[in-house]
Amino acid sequence: MFAFIFRRVLIAVPTLLLISLMVFSLQLLLPGDPALALAGEERDPAVIEAIREQYHLNDPMIVQYGHWLAGVFTGDWGISLRNQMAVTDLLLSKLPVTLELAILAMLVALAIGVTAGLVSAVKKGTRWDFGANVIALSGISIPNFWLGIMLILLVSVRWGLLPASGYTSPLESVSRNLEMMVMPALVLGTAIAAIMMRHTRSAMIQAMQADYVRTARAKGLSERVVILKHAFRNALVPVVTMGTLQFGELLSGAVLTEQVFTIPGFGKLIVDAVFNRDYAVVQGVVLFTGTVFIVMNFIADLLYFLLNPRLRT
Amino acid sequence: MSATTQPMVQPPVAAPAMAAIERPGARVWRRFRHHPSALLGGTLVLAFVIVALGSPWLAPFDPAANDWMAIRQAPSAAHWLGTDDVGRDVLSRLLYGARASLYAGVLSVVIAFIIGVPFGLLAGYYGGLVDATISRVIEALLACPFLILAIAFSAFLGPSLTNAMIAIGIAASPMFARLTRGQVMAVKTEDYIEGARAVGASDLRIISRYILPNVFTPLLVQATLTIATAIIAEASLSFLGLGQQPPAPSWGSMLDTAKNFITQAPWMAVSPGVAIFIVVFGFNILGDGLRDALDPRET
């Protein structure tokens, strides 16, 4: 077990270093003098020189990267030019909002995706299966920001059932918070639900053909018990790991969802940063999401290891 | 593509059996024709390409011409899909917007292909340190969510359709590299590769003449599916203001404008979204159909 964790951590380290190198290299794409780009509207030569000093722009590239990486390790991810706040503080302040959205969206995805996948596999080759597949493919093909706009049009504008946009913290009002998060979670969860449906279906089909399912049937167990207790429990292993991996995608999808529903989370932070030319924040978001993905990857491996008795022995 | 290269690399077949064997190209076409969803996908994609390329002749109005007397008009006989916030014809913008989606979809996949495939070939063929290094880079790039990476590249390159295509292409390249690497590793142990090596063929010749043609099929399927992803990504970047810049039309930027007038002019939001959905759906089912048609295990 510990050897497994140690091996996974060893593999993650060079990947994380490469992500940091890639994020650092982004500033090489800036056209012209990076000091001028980082200064934004500011044109005072003294300020520009200070920026040059701050970011070690007069040093060779490798030295610049060394300074930047040392900062990353010590929690200094730079200062937001717009907010004059530490990038880490900004990220941490927005994280709970996006995390809530991602968790709610994942619940939607699991509820829809796993149920549809289960039905589709059990009723393989029937109209149910065909219908579930068409819905899954549609879920992947619908741009989620458009789905958000359409839901606002119908649910908020036409029917007046839910608020169209904005965010209320659950600490202020849980009911108001849920009212505002229903549509964003549904929008973000739909695309992931389609992916979860496909994985659940294929895992279930594989499990239904396994020897232990045949044995369970031969023992005379009811079809319900065979499906839910034997096949589904085993099919859950790849589904759980897949769900964990999809968490990174949720962060990506949240960018658009938060933009449509004006939710002040992580996604809105990166979009605002792009328009304010707040490059340190853009780099911070990419570095953070990359790290989250590696961590989720690690958790997925760990879950796979823990849920699969054959790997443990 | 694989149809022309397969005979060169497949083990020799006894002469009498040759007549009974269906040519690979004919087999693929037969399977494709009998795959209803693939045919539907192919038809949708073909219609999309015709609309995109023919938009100057098909569009009833200039897509960038403002008409201050026809602001936010509902669909009518004159303007089938209505007009937008500055009186531009939504149908004309939709037709021209197809061009941006087609360019973004195809060109970003070409960029991803050009970057990703050579690295995948090198990693898969040479293995060892080359593979370890390239694989770590692929993992690092795959670790960053696709759209966030594309946004970051667009942010640093500057907002424009070209930069959006480059950003999407770079963000999609690790998918091609990883797929190519896996395919090469499976193919390089085949007898015909050993045979080519035995007769003194150079690494470059083995990779370009024997390996690449044999790993091309899954890459073609991946390319089709990635076009769908790229079209959504371009629309997403344009929706965020990082892709096609106004007044040039793009489905994403049309939706960006439409969301501000959702109560006054809901028709502005409907058609671009439906168009994206139909085209992406078409590429997705075409990709799935191609995968089935090109799979040699299927009969």
Side-chain angles (χ1 to χ4, degrees), chain A residues 168-182:
Chain A
T168 302
S169 164
L171 299 174
E172 283 177 42
S173 164
V174 174
S175 59
R176 183 77 184 147
N177 169 268
L178 286 176
E179 265 183 14
M180 292 185 143
M181 294 300 262
V182 167

Side-chain angles (χ1 to χ4, degrees), chain B residues 219-270:
Chain B
L219 290 175
L220 184 70
V221 175
Q222 180 65 40
T224 314
L225 295 170
T226 310
I227 289 178
T229 313
I231 287 173
I232 289 205
E234 185 278 325
S236 305
L237 289 177
S238 294
F239 178 74
L240 297 172
L242 293 168
Q244 181 82 293
Q245 296 299 298
S250 134
W251 294 342
S253 59
M254 286 171 77
L255 282 172
D256 183 30
T257 311
K259 81 171 192 297
N260 302 323
F261 300 97
I262 196 78
T263 47
Q264 303 98 322
W267 57 85
M268 281 170 64
V270 176

Side-chain angles (χ1 to χ4, degrees), chain A residues 122-228:
Chain A
V122 173
K123 308 252 180 205
K124 190 184 165 203
T126 65
R127 284 179 187 177
W128 287 92
D129 184 24
F130 179 75
N133 273 303
V134 170
I135 291 169
L137 206 54
S138 305
I140 296 168
S141 306
I142 291 177
N144 63 5
F145 54 95
W146 180 66
L147 186 62
I149 294 173
M150 288 297 105
L151 277 181
I152 290 175
L153 181 63
L154 285 177
V155 180
S156 304
V157 178
R158 286 276 157 86
W159 303 331
L161 293 175
L162 289 168
S165 61
Y167 179 76
T168 302
S169 164
L171 299 174
E172 283 177 42
S173 164
V174 174
S175 59
R176 183 77 184 147
N177 169 268
L178 286 176
E179 265 183 14
M180 292 185 143
M181 294 300 262
V182 167
M183 282 201 294
L186 201 62
V187 166
L188 191 52
T190 312
I192 306 291
I195 297 165
M196 296 299 291
M197 180 264 160
R198 285 183 150 195
H199 281 280
T200 309
R201 181 180 181 273
S202 78
M204 268 303 284
I205 288 173
Q206 209 173 0
M208 299 277 280
Q209 290 163 348
D211 287 342
Y212 55 81
V213 168
R214 206 172 302 132
T215 311
R217 281 204 181 106
K219 275 160 62 182
L221 296 175
S222 72
E223 193 62 14
R224 188 188 164 85
V225 173
V226 171
I227 290 168
L228 292 178

